[in-house]
Amino acid sequence: MPFLGQDWRSPGQCWVKTEEGWKKTTSDEKNNNMSVQSFCKAQEEECFNKENLLLSLNYDPSAKKRKKDLMNHNSKVPYFHMEKWIYVHKGSTKERHGYCTLGEAFNRLDFCSAIKDTRRFNYIVRLLELIAKSQLPSLSGVAQKNYMNILERVVQKVLDDQQNVRPIKELLQSLYVSLCSLVQDMGKSVLVGNINIWVHRMENILQWQQQLDNIQINRPTSSGMTLTDLPDSLQLKIMDCLSDGRDLVSLGQVCPDLGQLTEDRLLWKKLCQYHFTDRQIRKRLILSDKGHLEWKKMYFKLSRCYPRREQYSDTLHFCTHCHILFWKDTNHPCTANNPESCTVALSPQDFINLFNF
């Protein structure tokens, strides 16, 4: 019968790796070294517990319990990977483990650097919004923690740059509504972690929303040429580059001259034709008293009925040949041998559908 533990016939010596090589040490020497280390560790733990005890005297029991939960599950601790591409496969093999879940891909891909890139910012925000609406319970505990850490960085970037405020407000609102319904089902293993952790995160979301509402964009002090100094034809050309009708409405509220230009029917007609098909437009026709098409009203009515066309400067790509998920400007392993014809650009919804087997 094989021995499952230490051989009782052993002289009490064991091999220990040192800088000079492997050496035999007796159990007494090993116990002495371990006793010193354990004593130091015990002293440090005792000091740490005393400090926590002193800090907790000023709080009520519920606050102390929440503080303890936050220390055990600190969402501020980052756990980010810096991988530019990952291997995605629907099944694992003995040779290679497939990143076949959305949570694993969310953990492995380098989203932190993507937030700093202006081309990828809107793509990441849209992806976070889609995850908040339907995919948050499918993430692992680590992925859910990373989600909140990345969201915090996104909000901080918006507060610093004072740009893209509206998309972040919509993201936070969608996430808060989803968490309100998910927290009620906490006992059904919908979310990973203690309920106090998620209540604290919801409080953070409300605080972020208040900070975004209090943003005041200062008027630039430069005395150079402004948008209103340009000819009307150039102003319309600039407005033609906007792909969101809400941006046109916000621009028209700056001054009466811009407000008059943003009512141009041709601008709204191009927006309708860009985002929606001819069949969708024919189903939602709105005529004015003079018999003209009300393209502005039709645009907002179509936006409520059909999804708008999404446009991103940079997206994630998927190689159908080697099953690699990567950013557009990142070289994946088979780039040299296979042309770009084997790669597919993924929208945020396509990225989520890639892991719905």
Side-chain angles (χ1 to χ4, degrees):
M1 179 178 178
F3 289 98
L4 300 180
Q6 186 179 3
D7 189 356
W8 61 274
R9 295 170 297 182
S10 172
Q13 295 178 341
C14 60
W15 288 96
V16 178
K17 187 176 182 181
T18 62
E19 296 180 356
E20 301 176 356
W22 290 89
K23 290 185 178 181
K24 278 187 177 182
T25 58
T26 60
S27 58
D28 295 335
E29 295 175 354
K30 183 177 180 182
N31 292 333
N32 291 335
N33 295 333
M34 294 299 294
S35 61
V36 175
Q37 297 177 358
S38 60
F39 176 78
C40 296
K41 185 176 181 181
Q43 291 293 329
E44 294 177 357
E45 292 179 353
E46 183 178 359
C47 295
F48 180 76
N49 293 332
K50 287 182 179 179
E51 292 177 359
N52 287 341
L53 180 60
L54 293 175
L55 292 174
S56 61
L57 290 177
N58 298 328
Y59 297 92
D60 58 334
S62 60
K64 287 191 293 184
K65 185 177 185 304
R66 178 172 298 183
K67 182 178 179 62
K68 180 179 178 181
D69 293 334
L70 293 177
M71 292 177 62
N72 294 335
H73 306 277
N74 190 4
S75 61
K76 303 291 183 181
V77 178
Y79 184 73
F80 298 117
H81 288 268
M82 303 296 291
E83 299 184 18
K84 299 296 183 181
W85 56 267
I86 61 172
Y87 175 79
V88 179
H89 201 270
K90 295 184 179 181
S92 301
T93 61
K94 295 181 179 179
E95 293 80 10
R96 177 177 289 177
H97 172 68
Y99 296 100
C100 56
T101 64
L102 178 62
E104 289 174 317
F106 193 78
N107 287 337
R108 293 290 176 180
L109 282 175
D110 185 13
F111 285 108
C112 294
S113 300
I115 294 172
K116 303 176 183 178
D117 194 338
T118 308
R119 302 169 302 169
R120 302 172 181 173
F121 183 81
N122 291 330
Y123 185 89
I124 299 298
V125 172
R126 178 57 179 168
L127 180 60
L128 294 176
E129 185 178 1
L130 292 177
I131 293 177
K133 289 182 177 179
S134 59
Q135 300 296 325
L136 192 60
S138 65
L139 300 181
S140 62
V142 175
Q144 291 178 2
K145 183 182 295 186
N146 285 347
Y147 180 92
M148 299 303 300
N149 288 330
I150 292 175
L151 179 61
E152 182 179 2
R153 294 195 176 192
V154 169
V155 174
Q156 189 60 43
K157 177 177 173 57
V158 173
L159 293 175
D160 295 338
D161 299 342
Q162 295 185 347
Q163 297 178 3
N164 301 311
V165 178
R166 187 181 64 245
I168 305 304
K169 286 184 177 180
E170 296 175 354
L171 167 60
L172 294 178
Q173 182 63 26
S174 300
L175 178 60
Y176 187 81
V177 172
S178 299
L179 289 180
C180 287
S181 59
L182 293 176
V183 168
Q184 297 176 358
D185 299 331
M186 204 66 176
K188 302 177 183 179
S189 301
V190 178
L191 294 173
V192 181
N194 193 291
I195 188 172
N196 290 330
I197 303 300
W198 288 102
V199 171
H200 177 73
R201 290 171 178 172
M202 294 174 67
E203 294 174 354
N204 287 338
I205 294 174
L206 294 177
Q207 183 179 0
W208 293 338
Q209 289 178 333
Q210 185 177 3
Q211 292 176 355
L212 292 174
D213 292 336
N214 295 333
I215 286 183
Q216 295 181 357
I217 301 178
N218 299 324
R219 187 180 183 88
T221 57
S222 62
S223 58
M225 181 177 292
T226 61
L227 179 62
T228 55
D229 296 332
L230 298 175
D232 293 347
S233 59
L234 291 180
Q235 295 184 36
L236 290 173
K237 189 67 176 179
I238 295 174
M239 296 177 185
D240 195 20
C241 298
L242 299 177
S243 60
D244 195 335
R246 294 171 296 180
D247 294 334
L248 272 179
V249 174
S250 300
L251 183 60
Q253 296 173 353
V254 175
C255 64
D257 294 337
L258 291 177
Q260 185 177 359
L261 290 177
T262 54
E263 296 294 332
D264 186 76
R265 296 178 62 254
L266 185 59
L267 287 176
W268 294 100
K269 179 181 179 180
K270 290 181 179 179
L271 277 178
C272 292
Q273 293 176 347
Y274 175 78
H275 288 284
F276 310 106
T277 63
D278 294 338
R279 183 178 180 181
Q280 293 172 343
I281 293 175
R282 287 195 298 267
K283 290 183 178 180
R284 298 292 187 272
L285 294 178
I286 299 178
L287 297 177
S288 63
D289 297 336
K290 297 181 180 181
H292 300 299
L293 290 175
E294 295 285 351
W295 290 105
K296 182 178 180 179
K297 295 181 180 179
M298 289 170 55
Y299 171 81
F300 289 106
K301 186 175 182 179
L302 289 167
S303 300
R304 293 190 295 267
C305 300
Y306 307 104
R308 291 174 298 177
R309 180 179 177 183
E310 298 180 358
Q311 181 182 11
Y312 305 101
S313 301
D314 192 9
T315 63
L316 285 169
H317 283 62
F318 181 70
C319 180
T320 58
H321 176 76
C322 61
H323 299 279
I324 292 294
L325 185 64
F326 62 98
W327 290 105
K328 183 179 180 180
D329 58 352
T330 305
N331 295 328
H332 67 288
C334 71
T335 302
N337 300 327
N338 295 277
E340 295 182 356
S341 58
C342 64
T343 62
V344 180
L346 300 179
S347 66
Q349 187 62 53
D350 294 335
F351 173 81
I352 293 178
N353 294 337
L354 184 64
F355 302 94
N356 294 333
F357 307 134

